[in-house]
Amino acid sequence: IVLSRHMVPFILSVYLPTAMFVIMSWVSFFIPPEIVQARIVLLLTLCLVLINMFNTTRLNIPVANSVTALEIWFLACIFIVFLSLAEYAIILKKSVRKNDKERRKCAAMRNAETREKFKRNTSRIIKMNRSQSVNMLPLNNSFHSASSIHKNSEIKRKEYSELLDSKSRIIFPILFSVF
């Protein structure tokens, strides 16, 4: 008695599509982090499709007492897509945290600048009343420093997300090919 297994149906219906879905998840590293909906929809859809394929395939193969290679393959593919989603969550968390810090810093600077303007204006008014001079100097718009901090932190946030995405473009394919 010679037992044999036909692998072609499994390769065409399971291994090839799941590998393509994992490779499609790497496209998210090329989508700018500012486009939140595109990345989230892509990665969540791929994760759900892989989970659905895993459940459907498990129902169609014979029951085994141990974990099969096919199940390990599916779990690895789901895990890699999930890691892509986690990578983007890290980028989002970092940008939200920097946005909060940035807003607080800008608000504090604006408050300090407003107080400083008020002090200058009141001292000018007091001097003007004392000298009875009508000539008053125009005020500067001193929000420049707060906006420059906002621009600098925006540049740092973009650099961080681009660095993480560029490293992920290399690490994820290596991880998948090693598997």
Side-chain angles (χ1 to χ4, degrees):
I1 297 176
V2 176
L3 299 176
S4 65
R5 181 175 298 181
H6 299 285
M7 291 298 294
V8 175
F10 288 106
I11 290 173
L12 293 177
S13 66
V14 175
Y15 290 105
L16 189 63
T18 53
M20 286 175 25
F21 289 143
V22 169
I23 292 169
M24 282 174 33
S25 74
W26 302 337
V27 170
S28 70
F29 303 136
F30 295 97
I31 298 173
E34 297 83 33
I35 307 174
V36 177
Q37 294 88 355
R39 284 182 92 156
I40 296 292
V41 166
L42 173 69
L43 293 172
L44 280 178
T45 303
L46 289 173
C47 198
L48 291 173
V49 166
L50 285 171
I51 291 169
N52 187 29
M53 285 180 68
F54 175 64
N55 289 332
T56 304
T57 306
R58 272 189 49 218
L59 292 174
N60 293 333
I61 61 173
V63 177
N65 291 335
S66 61
V67 179
T68 63
L70 188 63
E71 292 170 336
I72 292 172
W73 172 261
F74 266 116
L75 293 175
C77 291
I78 292 168
F79 183 69
I80 290 173
V81 173
F82 179 77
L83 283 179
S84 300
L85 189 61
E87 182 261 352
Y88 187 56
I90 291 169
I91 290 175
L92 282 179
K93 180 71 174 171
K94 193 84 164 172
S95 70
V96 166
R97 188 179 304 147
K98 283 188 178 183
N99 276 342
D100 289 344
K101 286 180 182 177
E102 174 185 311
R103 279 191 211 116
R104 284 188 212 118
K105 189 182 282 187
C106 286
M109 286 191 70
R110 285 185 182 127
N111 288 339
E113 290 168 357
T114 304
R115 274 184 262 148
E116 186 62 34
K117 270 198 227 178
F118 180 75
K119 286 178 186 177
R120 278 187 272 145
N121 288 341
T122 53
S123 66
R124 286 181 190 161
I125 291 171
I126 291 171
K127 286 178 186 177
M128 186 174 72
N129 286 340
R130 285 185 187 161
S131 65
Q132 296 299 320
S133 170
V134 182
N135 187 12
M136 191 169 163
L137 298 173
L139 297 175
N140 292 345
N141 184 4
S142 59
F143 289 109
H144 172 69
S145 58
S147 65
S148 66
I149 286 177
H150 177 73
K151 288 178 186 174
N152 287 339
S153 65
E154 183 72 26
I155 290 169
K156 287 180 184 177
R157 184 172 49 252
K158 281 188 176 183
E159 287 174 357
Y160 176 78
S161 63
E162 287 174 3
L163 176 69
L164 192 58
D165 277 344
S166 65
K167 286 186 178 187
S168 296
R169 289 177 201 146
I170 296 167
I171 292 171
F172 278 75
I174 291 172
L175 179 70
F176 189 64
S177 64
V178 166
F179 174 72

